[in-house]
Amino acid sequence: MPSFTTFLKAALLAFSIAANAQGTPGTLGFALGIHKINDETCKTTEDFVADLKLIKEKTGSSVVRIYTTSQCEAFKTLMPALKETGSTAVVGLWATPPDHFLKEIAALTGDLKEYADQVVGITVGSEHLYRKELTGQELADLIKKVQGEVKTLGLDTPVGFADSWNLMADGSANPAIKQSDIILANAFSYWQGSKITNSTQMLFDDIMQALQHVQDVKGTIDIPFWVGETNWPTGGKNFEDAVPNKDNAETYWYSAVCGMLGWGVNTFVFEAFDEPWKPAEKNNDVEQHWGVMTVDGEPKWDLVCPKPSN
Ligand SMILES: *[C@@H]1O[C@H](CO)[C@@H](O)[C@H](O)[C@H]1NC(C)=O
């Protein structure tokens, strides 16, 4: 059993995750990068097959998330790899600027029918509200457009969006929530400057606030919901009280990630593999160290739930 405080248990029950009555764990998924070596080299279908096999072997997961369909021809390249390995994906469209969004839609709809079984959901944008690139209503309109395209193909793939938990909790996302068939809420205790000892509580508090608000706005608990991104980095600079290192990342995995799954909440971990070519920002190279595996596919710890007893 995951060890949580009664505070968390009470919060979870109050927020009606009682759908988990039989104790069905949530589904574990991973954000998957589309580049290898550097930003200019795109993964091939063979690279994706190798990634997906490793993810399955080391974690048992067979669900991934990508953030673009057109860049690196990611949709076209990934889909055959998903089919070959019996995996599925939540596929993201990069929603801005408008001419790029049209390219993303075209890259999706061309082959979506052929790969309908591989696509469990479509997200319109990632954190566009957080970056103030779109309003809730603008995002809702884009979601509606993609829903129309999917329907035109005779498919019923759920379409929604992914954004930071606080934009859901504070009402900014309401029009997009209303329009969506699937919702992903991102939450990083590291970027909230949390001590590792409080990081699990913070993730649960964030996600439950987002989920409660989503359920209120939808008027139902019957909405596909995922933690869209979470994890703890193994390198980079301290952020306030958050210290990135392997021990803390391992602690976060067994407590926060395994805990969420244990409560029946689907969770995408950001991310499967390190991306060492990502640039340092504000003198912090933390973006290179979010993988649960190294760039060479070595697990940084035993990637199972719950923690193995030794
Ligand atoms: C621990 O996390 C909770 C939930 O996010 C937060 O309310 C509280 O302020 C945090 N405590 C500390 C000491 O940071």
Side-chain angles (χ1 to χ4, degrees):
M1 278 298 289
S3 53
F4 293 113
T5 65
T6 35
F7 161 77
L8 290 172
K9 285 184 184 169
L12 282 159
L13 291 176
F15 296 158
S16 323
I17 297 217
N20 190 27
Q22 287 87 26
T24 315
T27 300
L28 170 65
F30 287 91
L32 186 58
I34 59 171
H35 296 109
K36 57 173 183 180
I37 311 168
N38 59 39
D39 262 350
E40 273 96 55
T41 354
C42 297
K43 284 182 184 170
T44 63
T45 296
E46 289 68 41
D47 293 324
F48 280 131
V49 167
D51 285 356
L52 292 164
K53 283 184 174 166
L54 260 175
I55 291 171
K56 186 129 179 204
E57 182 195 331
K58 304 298 183 189
T59 75
S61 165
S62 52
V63 193
V64 293
R65 238 196 110 181
I66 56 170
Y67 295 82
T68 173
T69 53
S70 69
Q71 207 193 339
C72 280
E73 297 195 300
F75 188 79
K76 207 176 175 167
T77 312
L78 176 65
M79 287 300 130
L82 294 173
K83 202 163 197 171
E84 185 178 331
T85 56
S87 312
T88 57
V90 171
V91 171
L93 304 178
W94 202 258
T96 56
D99 58 331
H100 181 75
F101 185 54
L102 293 179
K103 277 189 209 153
E104 293 276 297
I105 292 178
L108 171 79
T109 52
D111 295 326
L112 183 58
K113 208 156 181 179
E114 186 181 349
Y115 293 107
D117 289 345
Q118 276 69 49
V119 181
V120 293
I122 296 166
T123 50
V124 176
S126 172
E127 299 192 345
H128 287 291
L129 300 179
Y130 180 75
R131 290 190 305 276
K132 300 191 193 306
E133 292 163 351
L134 295 170
T135 65
Q137 187 56 51
E138 286 165 345
L139 180 56
D141 293 343
L142 300 183
I143 293 166
K144 193 170 179 184
K145 180 172 171 59
V146 176
Q147 285 167 330
E149 300 276 349
V150 168
K151 210 166 174 193
T152 302
L153 294 169
L155 300 172
D156 56 6
T157 317
V159 181
F161 71 107
D163 220 300
S164 185
W165 69 274
N166 53 310
L167 281 306
M168 296 179 195
D170 74 9
S172 316
N174 281 5
I177 292 170
K178 282 195 192 118
Q179 190 63 43
S180 289
D181 317 309
I182 178 173
I183 291 172
L184 280 65
N186 301 348
F188 289 97
S189 304
Y190 169 81
W191 286 122
Q192 287 171 265
S194 173
K195 279 199 169 74
I196 188 65
T197 47
N198 199 40
S199 60
T200 296
Q201 176 165 343
M202 194 168 276
L203 175 72
F204 270 70
D205 189 38
D206 295 348
I207 292 303
M208 290 314 127
Q209 285 186 51
L211 179 55
Q212 183 190 30
H213 191 88
V214 164
Q215 292 177 346
D216 281 354
V217 170
K218 295 300 261 186
T220 173
I221 62 166
D222 190 19
I223 162 94
F225 178 89
W226 288 73
V227 175
E229 293 180 359
T230 194
N231 202 8
W232 192 276
T234 55
K237 291 214 163 135
N238 292 1
F239 187 77
E240 298 167 12
D241 290 336
V243 180
N245 62 40
K246 186 178 149 293
D247 277 358
N248 286 348
E250 185 174 338
T251 297
Y252 192 83
W253 171 274
Y254 290 124
S255 180
V257 174
C258 292
M260 263 300 151
L261 295 168
W263 277 102
V265 182
N266 304 325
T267 302
F268 278 111
V269 168
F270 184 90
E271 58 186 329
F273 304 103
D274 281 340
E275 300 191 83
W277 50 86
K278 282 192 172 172
E281 282 169 41
K282 293 181 192 155
N283 224 358
N284 187 354
D285 70 357
V286 66
E287 289 304 331
Q288 303 174 3
H289 306 286
W290 286 97
V292 295
M293 290 186 250
T294 66
V295 68
D296 299 318
E298 285 299 320
K300 294 179 181 176
W301 57 86
D302 200 352
L303 297 171
V304 297
C305 291
K307 185 173 183 155
S309 47
N310 36 2

